[in-house]
Amino acid sequence: MFKKILLLLTLITLIGCNATKPVIVTKKAPIKPKSEVVRTIKKPAASSSTTARPTVAKPVKKEQGNRETEVIVSTSKTVVTNDVIVSYISKFKEIAIGNMKNYGIPASIILAQGILESGAGRGDLAISANNHFGIKCHVGWTGESVKHDDDSDQECFRKYDNPSESFKDHALFLTGRSRYAKLFEFSKGDYKAWAKGLRAAGYATDPKYPDKLISYIERYNLHQYDNQVLDVNYVSSEKQMVEELTIESRNTINHDLLSYVVQKGDTLYSISKKFDLKVDDLKQKNNLSDNTLSIGQRLVVK
């Protein structure tokens, strides 16, 4: 019996000793938080990398993109924005339309040349001399002039009192010189032929001159003013050519007509003889101050 009791006490003691061992494990547990503290130190580095992103200069690009700029090089180098060109078109489109009606030069060509030659009105010659088409003095010019560097140093350029005089002189310049006569054989709606024809006739020496004119016409939809004068939405060059030839054939001399369209080679004297009029009477009927005529100009003869 005594042996049994002793054995029982021994087992109880062993069990009690084993139950105290987990207390040693719990003492080691606080070591783990030390590694977690190391991780928290790295967090500020991650936050600093994200704050660098707003330094990208995207807003600057947007501000620059609001206005497109381009350099126009003719008799001077001029930097303009697209809204300057749009303003120029708005200001002079009515003059261009009027010149197309009176002289037969496409309004799109007039405006494109004005933009290119004058730097959209901001070029040196346009500001100092109201010269919007880069027309030099040439033989016979008796008006005012200015000196300006171009192909050579200090060349003579025409000076006008206002831009409208420059637009009119441009029309007279093209209609009054034989080397530009072939231009008036082209359809008035064929601005590409006119652009290439101007270069071929020697208006400019720049081989890219036609491409520049065509670019302005198409970018700013300048041919809409040609269509406005021609009273069409759009017709092909071939169809338009036929229509114009038909119209021209109807303008043959007839004493019963009330008006006459000036043809190549006409003068006030020759027209007055055809219609049994005096030159002075013909000038009076048409409010003409001089003897200048242009191809396509319509005159009252009755």
Side-chain angles (χ1 to χ4, degrees), residues 40-224:
T40 59
I41 294 172
K42 293 181 180 179
K43 289 181 180 179
S47 61
S48 63
S49 64
T50 56
T51 56
R53 292 178 183 176
T55 59
V56 179
K58 289 182 179 180
V60 176
K61 291 182 180 180
K62 289 180 180 180
E63 290 176 4
Q64 291 175 345
N66 288 338
R67 292 184 178 182
E68 296 179 4
T69 60
E70 65 176 282
V71 179
I72 300 177
V73 180
S74 53
T75 53
S76 62
K77 183 177 180 180
T78 313
V79 180
V80 299
T81 54
N82 56 348
D83 59 336
V84 170
I85 296 177
V86 170
S87 176
Y88 183 89
I89 295 167
S90 177
K91 186 175 182 179
F92 295 109
K93 65 181 181 181
E94 294 301 329
I95 294 178
I97 289 172
N99 280 6
M100 181 175 180
K101 292 177 180 178
N102 293 328
Y103 300 99
I105 305 166
S108 61
I109 288 292
I110 296 171
L111 289 170
Q113 280 196 282
I115 293 169
L116 179 56
E117 296 288 350
S118 75
R122 300 294 180 89
D124 294 342
L125 275 177
I127 293 173
S128 65
N130 287 313
N131 190 329
H132 284 235
F133 295 92
I135 299 179
K136 298 177 182 179
C137 293
H138 297 287
V139 177
W141 174 251
T142 57
E144 293 186 70
S145 63
V146 295
K147 298 293 184 180
H148 184 76
D149 293 345
D150 191 35
D151 296 327
S152 302
D153 294 339
Q154 294 298 288
E155 292 191 77
C156 181
F157 285 85
R158 302 182 181 189
K159 182 179 180 181
Y160 309 96
D161 291 335
N162 54 67
S164 62
E165 288 187 3
S166 179
F167 274 76
K168 181 178 180 181
D169 193 46
H170 169 258
L172 297 176
F173 187 80
L174 293 183
T175 57
R177 282 167 168 72
S178 58
R179 64 174 174 168
Y180 298 116
K182 188 171 179 60
L183 293 173
F184 296 90
E185 297 176 8
F186 297 136
S187 166
K188 294 179 180 65
D190 193 351
Y191 59 85
K192 291 183 179 180
W194 276 80
K196 295 173 183 177
L198 281 166
R199 166 72 175 85
Y203 194 99
T205 57
D206 182 2
K208 294 182 179 180
Y209 193 78
D211 295 332
K212 292 177 180 179
L213 295 182
I214 292 169
S215 174
Y216 285 122
I217 291 170
E218 294 181 346
R219 274 191 288 156
Y220 294 95
N221 195 26
L222 301 183
H223 51 287
Q224 65 176 302

